[in-house]
Coordinates of all heavy atoms in Angstrom, one line a residue:
F372 N 6.9 -9.5 20.1 CA 7.5 -8.1 19.8 C 7.6 -8.0 18.3 O 7.1 -6.9 18.0 CB 8.9 -8.1 20.5 CG 9.5 -6.8 20.1 CD1 9.2 -5.6 20.9 CD2 10.6 -6.5 19.1 CE1 9.7 -4.4 20.6 CE2 11.0 -5.3 18.7 CZ 10.6 -4.2 19.6
V373 N 8.0 -8.9 17.6 CA 8.1 -8.7 16.2 C 6.7 -8.8 15.4 O 6.4 -7.9 14.5 CB 8.9 -9.9 15.6 CG1 8.8 -10.0 14.0 CG2 10.4 -9.7 16.0
A374 N 5.8 -9.6 16.0 CA 4.4 -9.5 15.5 C 3.6 -8.3 15.8 O 2.9 -7.7 15.0 CB 3.6 -10.7 16.1
R375 N 4.0 -7.6 16.8 CA 3.4 -6.4 17.3 C 4.0 -5.3 16.3 O 3.3 -4.4 15.8 CB 3.9 -5.9 18.8 CG 3.3 -4.8 19.2 CD 1.9 -4.7 19.3 NE 1.4 -3.3 19.0 CZ 0.2 -3.0 18.3 NH1 -0.6 -3.9 18.2 NH2 -0.1 -1.8 18.3
L376 N 5.3 -5.4 16.0 CA 5.9 -4.3 14.9 C 5.2 -4.4 13.6 O 4.9 -3.5 13.0 CB 7.4 -4.6 14.7 CG 8.4 -4.3 15.7 CD1 9.9 -4.6 15.2 CD2 8.3 -2.9 16.1
M377 N 5.0 -5.7 13.2 CA 4.3 -6.0 11.9 C 2.8 -5.3 12.0 O 2.4 -4.7 11.1 CB 4.2 -7.3 11.5 CG 3.5 -7.8 10.3 SD 4.1 -6.9 8.9 CE 5.4 -7.7 8.4
D378 N 2.3 -5.6 13.1 CA 0.8 -5.1 13.3 C 0.8 -3.5 13.2 O 0.1 -3.0 12.5 CB 0.4 -5.5 14.7 CG -1.1 -5.8 14.7 OD1 -1.8 -5.6 13.7 OD2 -1.5 -6.5 15.6
A379 N 1.8 -2.9 13.8 CA 1.8 -1.5 13.8 C 2.1 -1.1 12.2 O 1.5 0.0 11.8 CB 3.0 -0.9 14.7
C380 N 2.9 -1.7 11.6 CA 3.3 -1.5 10.3 C 2.0 -1.4 9.3 O 1.7 -0.6 8.5 CB 4.4 -2.2 9.5 SG 5.9 -1.9 10.1
L381 N 1.3 -2.6 9.6 CA 0.0 -2.8 8.8 C -1.1 -1.6 9.1 O -1.7 -1.1 8.2 CB -0.7 -4.1 9.1 CG 0.2 -5.3 8.6 CD1 -0.5 -6.7 9.3 CD2 0.1 -5.5 7.2
I382 N -1.0 -1.2 10.3 CA -2.0 -0.1 10.8 C -1.6 1.3 10.1 O -2.4 1.9 9.5 CB -2.0 0.1 12.2 CG1 -2.7 -1.0 13.0 CG2 -2.7 1.4 12.6 CD1 -2.5 -1.2 14.5
L383 N -0.2 1.4 10.0 CA 0.2 2.8 9.5 C 0.0 2.8 7.9 O -0.1 3.9 7.5 CB 1.8 2.8 9.6 CG 2.2 3.1 11.1 CD1 3.7 2.9 11.2 CD2 1.7 4.3 11.6
H384 N -0.1 1.6 7.2 CA -0.2 1.6 5.8 C -1.7 1.4 5.4 O -2.0 1.2 4.2 CB 0.6 0.4 5.1 CG 2.1 0.8 5.2 ND1 2.9 0.6 6.3 CD2 2.8 1.4 4.2 CE1 4.1 0.9 5.9 NE2 4.2 1.4 4.7
A385 N -2.7 1.3 6.3 CA -4.0 0.8 6.0 C -4.7 1.7 5.2 O -5.7 1.5 4.5 CB -4.7 0.5 7.3
E386 N -4.4 3.1 5.3 CA -5.3 4.0 4.7 C -4.6 5.4 4.6 O -3.7 5.8 5.3 CB -6.6 4.3 5.6 CG -7.3 5.6 5.3 CD -8.0 5.7 4.0 OE1 -7.9 4.7 3.0 OE2 -8.5 6.9 3.7

Side-chain angles (χ1 to χ4, degrees):
F372 176 80
V373 168
R375 181 63 214 151
L376 282 185
M377 176 54 78
D378 220 344
C380 288
L381 292 170
I382 292 169
L383 292 174
H384 287 86
E386 160 62 7

